[in-house]
Amino acid sequence: MAAQFGRRLRKGAATTAVAALAVAALSASQGPGAMAGDQSGRPVTTGADTAPDAAAGGATGNSPYYTDLPPLNSPNPSPTIGTPVSKGPTESGIPATVLDAYKKAASELQSAKPGCNLPWQLLAAIGKVESGQARGGAVSADGTTTSPILGPQLDGNGFALIKDTDNGAYDGNSAYDQAVGPMQFIPSTWEWAGRDGNADGKKDPNNIYDAALAAGHYLCRFGWDLSTQADLDRAILSYNHSQDYLNTVLSWLDYYRKGTHEIPDGTGSLPDSRSDDYDTVSPQPSPPASHTPGSGTQKPDPGKGSPTPKPPATTPPSTPPAKPQTPTDTVHHLEDAGTAALTAQAGDAFTEKVSARAETKAGVAVAKVRLRFTIVGATDATFTGGENVATVVTNSTGVAVAPALKAGEKTGDFTVRVTVVGRSVTGLDYKATVSERAADVLTRTSDTALTCTPGGEFADQVEVKATYKGAVADKVAATATLIKSALDPTQAENGPYFKDADGKTVRTLTGLETDANGVLKLPKLYADDTTGTFMLRIETAGGAALNVQLTVAAAETSSPSPSADTSASPSPSPSA
């Protein structure tokens, strides 16, 4: 037992020393105050050790994690459009579906908690350390791991003591809790932190989309700003309260920030070393569990599922066994699945959805394939939920339908690009157009006659309502002009007028806009000394127009009473 414990210490010390040097170099480049070192040279963080949830073991219950450090050379950055292919060692690449989950979660957090400044690379770093990117991307089409990823039972024997909290619902253990899934949440934490990241109505810790989104929200609680080193350290330590864990995650974070690449699902390599690994630094075959001194069973590997002794090294066969073909492997091309013209006014939802079909070379539909829909171009249009990327699994007819598109305020054309996740198959591009908000009908909200005396002001303000195809037309641009007549729409030179901010006469108003109810209320109107009938013309984008009649007339005077006048005048003298 003593010999094995010594070997463990030597291995841990070696790993920690390298991680510490990597983080020290990283912190030196981040400016003063980011991270300091104590007298032993070990990096420490200011205030980070007071992270919440530390006593409770954080998200993982302080379960074991992978201690492998990044390769010395940075990976090549992946292109932002299309489906990238592996450009380097598999240990530095991120499986397609796993990478998609990290980016999707970070995008949602940017909208939900913009002050957190969560980089997707942090989720990738934690995912690498916790499960080796879901065992190298061993996930199904919807992002669920192909077999459970479980940490050791937290029975207090070398680990924290956390008795069962979920009756085995998540980890299958009704005696003690175990960390579950690609982000290694313990059941008690998942109960409140769990999220539905793939919109299937479930919160599954074994699903990378659910787990990545949950991890993002977990790291962004307490108002932390992860663009600052102190809050970044606190967040990571709250996930697993270990300085060595912090150092390792920061090393991978720095590595992924310098660029990475996407690799096909299931082709990633699993790390070699773990924080509870009893092996010596040089790889050695592990003895059978029953012969391990001082231990009844070998500790399970959170990246490999059930406890399994390491087999003796063997000479690999000259011809590796063929990898089973997946539905994704059979996709030859994508076809349009009947997508109609994509047009919408600014701020409105598109009535049509983008749909595509995956097919083999022979034109046979391929089900259970992940298609990625990406909005490309200078636009603020999004899919439902505010995201610009959506991943959908093809149905039994090989068709995947993207979520509904919603136009932003920017007008013009953009592209929705469809690609196959995990394959370099030529994608499909769909053109979408956003036009300005428009109205096709304008009506007054009142039928009161608009009258005024010369030099006075109109008692009622003009108010109109705009609609488009019977629906409220909100935020529609409009102009109002006092014109010469219904037959001559040029601006009048006299008659009623508006006033600007300085009190000067204005007969044309621009930059007007209907409110959320489609209503436009104009400023007060005034009259000069000209009497007669005049015309106010209101026009909106889309061609809606309305002429409103205005009348300026002198006030009516009452006739004097004849009897009153006669009695007041003396009778003429007959002699006169």
Side-chain angles (χ1 to χ4, degrees):
M1 178 67 178
Q4 289 228 340
F5 184 69
R7 287 197 296 271
R8 180 184 183 184
L9 288 179
R10 286 196 298 273
K11 182 178 181 70
T15 303
T16 302
V18 177
L21 289 174
V23 176
L26 168 64
S27 63
S29 66
Q30 292 174 328
M35 187 174 288
D38 62 16
Q39 293 181 350
S40 66
R42 177 189 179 92
V44 295
T45 55
T46 305
D49 288 334
T50 61
D53 295 341
T60 72
N62 291 338
S63 293
Y65 56 90
Y66 286 115
T67 59
D68 293 32
L69 295 176
L72 294 178
N73 297 323
S74 296
N76 295 323
S78 62
T80 57
I81 296 174
T83 304
V85 296
S86 176
K87 294 186 177 181
T90 55
E91 65 264 29
S92 61
I94 300 178
T97 298
V98 178
L99 179 60
D100 186 56
Y102 295 152
K103 290 185 175 181
K104 183 177 180 181
S107 175
E108 181 163 334
L109 264 297
Q110 183 59 38
S111 175
K113 299 179 181 179
C116 178
N117 294 305
L118 171 74
W120 67 262
Q121 293 90 341
L122 177 58
L123 296 177
I126 290 177
K128 180 71 173 182
V129 171
E130 291 295 346
S131 68
Q133 310 298 19
R135 290 202 206 97
V139 295
S140 60
D142 68 351
T144 302
T145 57
T146 53
S147 60
I149 301 177
L150 296 174
Q153 66 175 14
L154 301 174
D155 57 4
N157 184 21
F159 308 102
L161 174 59
I162 304 179
K163 293 185 178 181
D164 176 65
T165 61
D166 64 328
N167 198 29
Y170 294 118
D171 55 13
N173 189 335
S174 59
Y176 301 96
D177 274 353
Q178 295 175 248
V180 181
M183 303 303 278
Q184 289 287 278
F185 279 94
I186 54 174
S188 57
T189 302
W190 183 260
E191 192 62 32
W192 61 265
R195 294 290 192 280
D196 180 11
N198 61 349
D200 64 352
K202 298 183 294 184
K203 299 177 182 179
D204 182 3
N206 296 295
N207 182 280
I208 185 59
Y209 286 95
D210 295 0
L213 183 59
H217 278 281
Y218 187 93
L219 294 164
C220 285
R221 70 205 192 287
F222 303 124
W224 285 330
D225 179 359
L226 303 188
S227 65
T228 66
Q229 189 64 45
D231 279 359
L232 177 62
D233 291 352
R234 291 186 182 98
I236 296 172
L237 284 169
S238 77
Y239 208 89
N240 190 316
H241 195 67
S242 160
Q243 186 69 36
D244 294 341
Y245 181 85
L246 171 66
N247 293 343
T248 306
V249 170
L250 288 176
S251 296
W252 280 104
L253 171 60
D254 181 51
Y255 179 76
Y256 286 137
R257 273 176 165 165
K258 293 176 181 176
T260 186
H261 57 276
E262 179 180 296
I263 59 176
D265 290 342
T267 63
S269 62
L270 206 59
D272 295 318
S273 305
R274 294 198 319 152
S275 58
D276 66 332
D277 199 338
Y278 279 80
D279 290 346
T280 58
V281 177
S282 301
Q284 297 288 337
S286 296
S290 60
H291 295 164
T292 302
S295 174
T297 59
Q298 186 182 9
K299 291 182 174 63
D301 187 332
K304 297 182 180 179
S306 303
T308 304
K310 294 183 180 180
T314 59
T315 303
S318 56
T319 303
K323 179 185 175 183
Q325 194 174 48
T326 67
T328 301
D329 297 329
T330 68
V331 177
H332 177 265
H333 60 271
L334 296 175
E335 290 285 346
D336 177 24
T339 304
L342 299 169
T343 59
Q345 290 186 19
D348 290 347
F350 285 74
T351 56
E352 297 294 333
K353 295 181 179 180
V354 179
S355 59
R357 182 173 56 254
E359 295 183 355
T360 65
K361 188 174 183 179
V364 178
V366 184
K368 297 182 180 179
V369 173
R370 299 183 67 81
L371 300 189
R372 179 182 296 143
F373 298 82
T374 305
I375 296 174
V376 181
T379 181
D380 54 354
T382 62
F383 291 114
T384 302
E387 300 170 356
N388 58 14
V389 177
T391 305
V392 182
V393 179
T394 57
N395 61 20
S396 59
T397 64
V399 174
V401 181
L405 283 166
K406 188 174 190 305
E409 295 304 319
K410 291 184 179 179
T411 59
D413 298 335
F414 65 92
T415 298
V416 178
R417 180 162 296 153
V418 188
T419 55
V420 181
V421 176
R423 286 290 306 279
S424 54
V425 173
T426 302
L428 291 179
D429 282 353
Y430 296 82
K431 177 184 175 182
T433 302
V434 178
S435 58
E436 64 178 340
R437 295 171 184 263
D440 55 11
V441 175
L442 277 175
T443 56
R444 279 192 65 195
T445 59
S446 169
D447 57 3
T448 303
L450 297 168
T451 61
C452 181
T453 58
E457 64 180 49
F458 288 80
D460 296 309
Q461 292 175 246
V462 177
E463 184 179 272
V464 297
K465 183 170 184 177
T467 57
Y468 183 79
K469 295 182 178 180
V472 167
D474 62 321
K475 297 182 180 180
V476 176
T479 60
T481 306
L482 290 151
I483 60 176
K484 291 182 178 179
S485 70
L487 299 177
D488 185 359
T490 57
Q491 180 179 295
E493 298 173 353
N494 51 30
Y497 61 91
F498 299 105
K499 289 182 180 181
D500 65 12
D502 298 323
K504 296 180 180 179
T505 298
V506 176
R507 288 192 168 89
T508 297
L509 297 178
T510 59
L512 304 175
E513 186 177 275
T514 61
D515 65 14
N517 297 313
V519 174
L520 174 64
K521 189 172 186 178
L522 298 181
K524 275 190 174 184
L525 276 164
Y526 302 86
D528 60 13
D529 294 333
T530 308
T531 60
T533 300
F534 303 90
M535 199 69 68
L536 170 66
R537 185 174 179 82
I538 305 169
E539 296 178 284
T540 69
L546 177 67
N547 290 335
V548 180
Q549 182 174 297
L550 307 173
T551 303
V552 179
E556 294 183 3
T557 57
S558 58
S559 301
S561 171
S563 59
D565 291 341
T566 302
S567 62
S569 301
S571 299
S573 170
S575 59

